[in-house]
Amino acid sequence: MPDEDDAMTGPPGGTMPLAAGFPPADHARWMDEVRRVLTRGRDDATDDEVRALFARVLETPTPDGPTLQPLYTAADAPPPGAEGLPGLHPFTRGALPRPPAGRWDARQVVRVAGDGAGAAGRARHELENGASSVLLDLRDATEIDVALLDRVLDGVLLDAAAVGLRAGARGLAAATALRGLWAERGVADDEVAGSLGLDPIGRHAASGGADGPVSEGVAAAVAVAAEVAARHPGVRTVLVDASRYHDAGGSDVQQLAYAVATGVAYLRALTDGGLALGPALGQIEFRLAAGDRQFPAIATVRALRRLWARVAEVAGAAPAARAARVHAISSRAMATRYDPWVNLLRGTIACFSAGIGGAEVVTVEPYDAALDADSDLGRRLARNTQSLLMDESGLGRVADPAGGSWFVERLTEDLATAAWDRFRDVERSGGIVAALDAGDVQRAVAEAWEERRGAIARRRDPITGVSEFPDPGETPPPPAPAAVAPPGTPIPALVPRRYAEPFEDLRARADRAAGTDAGRPAVFLATLGPPAVHTARAGFAANLFAAGGVRVVAHPGLGPGDDAGAAFAASGAALACICSGDDVYAERAAGVAAELHAAGAARVYLAGRTEVDGVDEHAYAGCDAVALLTGALAAAGVET
């Protein structure tokens, strides 16, 4: 090996042999090392045993999607040229033109309630402080008309800032009002920009068909789109809001597949309504939810462009018209009501992923949106998240920075392939509306939610601040409104979910009990032996029970002669959990369990999986924590 000083002081252009002292690495040698570690050096392990261990320890399954591998190599990359070049078909690597000065469109939510007086001037404030466009959420407005939008958009230069609409069942009224405001203010037709947000198929799914025949909504949207396409080249009328499926618990594959299926339905309707293919494609905008799983979120945005380019290609569109316009919005399903400040980090990851993935428009929901707080601080931090990532980190200055990552490229390909297969299933069933009317889509989303819910319950998908590392001293949030499906609808409605709900519901039960004479339920940690023996499992148990709002009373360590029953009685707890090492369990746990029961413990747990007489339930990594905590609250007498 060359002398280190020679390597550091060699001639300009010379190489630094940093790895010269190591043998060349290859996949076979890596697998040999993995096998040795997984089997703990056993020579008699079979290939099937190793494969099972590899899958359990190193692979990461995703709901309804590809299984993520621990290592990707050049062999995993798609065939050369499959992803194209940045700005060119199939647009996996982004579309042209690139955003000016490396900035995507930072679209800030402006919530409008009542007569809009409380939101007057807010849009202008958002635009003056980092946002480049606004998304008016008009679902809680009393009456949507030109006067309302004029009040909310006071001081906004409509020829300089794009406006998006989110109006629910009153989307047509909102679109009419915004077009009326453009005319009233005398803004030139070719200088306005934005999205009217008409999504009758998405509304059909969300409302369970309560809005009336979806065909009428689609026909009305097509009529508006024909007028807009002729007058406003910078405006898109039809929105494919696939975030509805994500927010109902759907997988990345489902979000992509139903986005493409809905886009195809709108494209058929637009062209059947008289629009040429190019203008019809130009009237469609896609909205995707970006979650806090960074690489799947990046790959989802990239995969949508690839899928839509294929649809447009088959339809016969010119290459330049095949690029999808993507609006990525931070996931509402990932937001928590407890420890909401962690949502700042989740929103940052979502924004980072959307920007890296190449979304043209990005919206970051405020960290306290799940609390319906709509605070100045929440909106300011949401704006500044985007400004920091664009201006300080420069994420928008590079085309497809994830390109070249074997992991991202493989994941993009796998998501696109799986989504295309599901899209074809939807088409074979008669299209997205027929699939919704038959309940096929809703059932698939519900199945994905149950799979995800199981992983959350077992804390395989941890939620920081809720299922992991909760803050026991946190001031409880106000009661959460129940998300229920509207009764008596013609088809099952998509019900929004939040991943943290199962744990937050338990926390809320415990918090309510804390305000009664009975007080907050408590668990006594019967720690056996010295700290070096019991600390790891005691810490695990404390974190687990705190996730259900249960107060933890830990003993510093019960010796062989200590009375565990007396210590439990003095703690005032109703529940007990024995914590120590396996050797100590074998010697003492059965006797301690008997003492705890005799002292009145309603339920005795043991941290770990060792079978011990007198133990009612085991708390261990991978157990169904929601089921365990539900039973714990019931045993402690906490009402539902």
Side-chain angles (χ1 to χ4, degrees):
M1 180 175 180
D3 182 82
E4 182 178 358
D5 290 337
D6 292 340
M8 295 298 292
T9 59
T15 59
M16 294 179 60
L18 298 178
F22 300 93
D26 57 48
H27 192 265
R29 288 190 64 248
W30 180 79
M31 279 301 303
D32 288 341
E33 290 299 313
V34 168
R35 183 187 186 103
R36 183 181 62 80
V37 172
L38 290 175
T39 62
R40 299 182 181 180
R42 286 172 45 213
D43 294 329
D44 59 344
T46 66
D47 290 343
D48 288 343
E49 184 180 358
V50 172
R51 277 193 291 269
L53 287 169
F54 188 93
R56 180 167 61 84
V57 176
L58 296 177
E59 293 183 342
T60 304
T62 61
D64 193 41
T67 296
L68 307 185
Q69 300 299 317
L71 180 70
Y72 288 82
T73 69
D76 296 300
E83 295 195 326
L85 298 173
L88 300 179
H89 180 84
F91 304 105
T92 307
R93 307 197 62 193
L96 293 176
R98 295 285 301 160
R103 291 182 62 90
W104 56 77
D105 182 354
R107 185 163 293 176
Q108 184 81 358
V109 178
V110 175
R111 288 178 170 80
V112 181
D115 63 359
R122 185 174 295 169
R124 182 185 65 211
H125 177 78
E126 303 289 359
L127 294 165
E128 289 174 345
N129 288 276
S132 51
S133 67
V134 291
L135 175 61
L136 302 184
D137 189 339
L138 303 166
R139 291 172 295 181
D140 293 327
T142 304
E143 183 177 357
I144 302 176
D145 55 16
V146 173
L148 172 76
L149 296 190
D150 189 40
R151 189 177 306 121
V152 173
L153 296 171
D154 179 44
V156 173
L157 301 177
L158 296 178
D159 56 350
V163 176
L165 300 176
R166 185 162 66 187
R170 295 179 290 172
L172 280 172
T176 300
L178 182 57
R179 295 175 65 202
L181 182 62
W182 289 334
E184 185 175 283
R185 292 194 183 177
V187 186
D189 287 348
D190 60 352
E191 292 185 347
V192 296
S195 170
L196 300 184
L198 297 184
D199 184 18
I201 295 176
R203 279 295 308 163
H204 187 64
S207 70
D211 290 347
V214 68
S215 58
E216 295 180 3
V218 172
V222 167
V224 174
E227 297 177 6
V228 169
R231 295 186 57 185
H232 305 297
V235 178
R236 298 193 178 225
T237 301
V238 176
L239 172 69
V240 177
D241 188 358
S243 70
R244 300 178 192 272
Y245 303 103
H246 168 92
D247 290 342
S251 67
D252 295 328
V253 169
Q254 289 169 347
Q255 184 177 206
L256 287 168
Y258 302 145
V260 175
T262 304
V264 167
Y266 285 141
L267 186 60
R268 288 188 179 118
L270 289 166
T271 53
D272 289 347
L275 276 175
L277 181 58
L281 288 166
Q283 282 297 295
I284 299 173
E285 179 174 272
F286 291 88
R287 181 177 294 162
L288 295 177
D292 56 359
R293 302 297 189 263
Q294 173 180 310
F295 291 107
I298 293 170
T300 296
V301 176
R302 299 172 90 245
L304 177 66
R305 286 196 299 270
R306 180 177 178 83
L307 291 165
W308 190 242
R310 177 58 178 158
V311 168
E313 180 183 20
V314 171
R322 298 172 188 170
R325 180 172 175 82
V326 182
H327 174 196
I329 187 168
S330 60
S331 164
R332 291 177 287 274
M334 72 178 177
T336 65
R337 294 173 61 85
Y338 282 85
D339 211 350
W341 302 275
V342 182
N343 293 330
L344 285 168
L345 304 179
R346 297 185 179 102
T348 300
I349 295 170
C351 184
F352 175 91
S353 303
I356 290 290
E360 286 83 5
V361 185
V362 179
T363 294
V364 177
E365 292 274 9
Y367 77 92
D368 52 2
L371 297 170
D372 296 321
D374 197 28
S375 67
D376 291 339
L377 178 62
R379 294 193 300 273
R380 179 170 183 263
L381 292 175
R383 287 194 310 271
N384 286 348
T385 296
Q386 300 222 51
S387 295
L388 186 150
L389 290 175
M390 284 188 286
D391 298 336
E392 295 189 35
S393 299
L395 292 190
R397 298 174 189 168
V398 179
D400 189 32
S405 163
W406 296 320
F407 174 31
V408 173
E409 291 181 350
R410 180 74 264 162
L411 184 54
T412 300
E413 186 76 9
D414 288 347
L415 286 174
T417 300
W420 187 260
D421 289 342
R422 185 175 286 269
F423 157 68
R424 293 177 66 190
D425 289 340
V426 172
E427 286 294 285
R428 279 191 288 267
S429 71
I432 187 66
V433 174
L436 286 166
D437 288 346
D440 296 340
V441 171
Q442 297 91 323
R443 280 190 293 272
V445 170
E447 289 170 2
W449 164 241
E450 286 304 318
E451 182 181 347
R452 188 188 299 272
R453 195 177 192 277
I456 291 169
R458 295 181 179 278
R459 302 198 297 177
R460 289 197 297 266
D461 286 352
I463 303 174
T464 304
V466 179
S467 69
E468 296 281 2
F469 313 114
D471 179 6
E474 179 181 359
T475 301
V484 296
T489 55
I491 63 173
L494 290 176
V495 179
R497 313 280 187 184
R498 284 186 308 103
Y499 303 153
E501 283 175 359
F503 284 96
E504 290 189 338
D505 289 346
L506 293 167
R507 287 276 295 274
R509 284 179 60 189
D511 289 341
R512 289 193 297 269
T516 67
D517 293 338
R520 182 179 297 279
V523 61
F524 172 72
L525 300 189
T527 53
L528 311 183
V533 175
H534 68 242
T535 294
R537 280 176 167 161
F540 169 83
N543 188 44
L544 171 62
F545 283 101
V550 178
R551 181 171 60 90
V552 176
V553 183
H555 193 278
L558 293 163
D562 294 333
D563 188 340
F568 169 77
S571 73
L575 311 169
C577 182
I578 303 171
C579 305
S580 192
D582 291 343
D583 292 342
V584 178
Y585 285 160
E587 296 175 5
R588 299 177 53 197
V592 171
E595 292 175 12
L596 294 169
H597 275 302
R603 195 162 183 81
V604 174
Y605 299 86
L606 183 137
R609 308 181 76 160
T610 305
E611 292 296 329
V612 173
D613 291 340
V615 169
D616 298 307
E617 194 168 354
H618 293 78
Y620 56 90
C623 73
D624 189 332
V626 170
L628 183 147
L629 293 169
T630 300
L633 295 185
V638 178
E639 297 181 356
T640 57

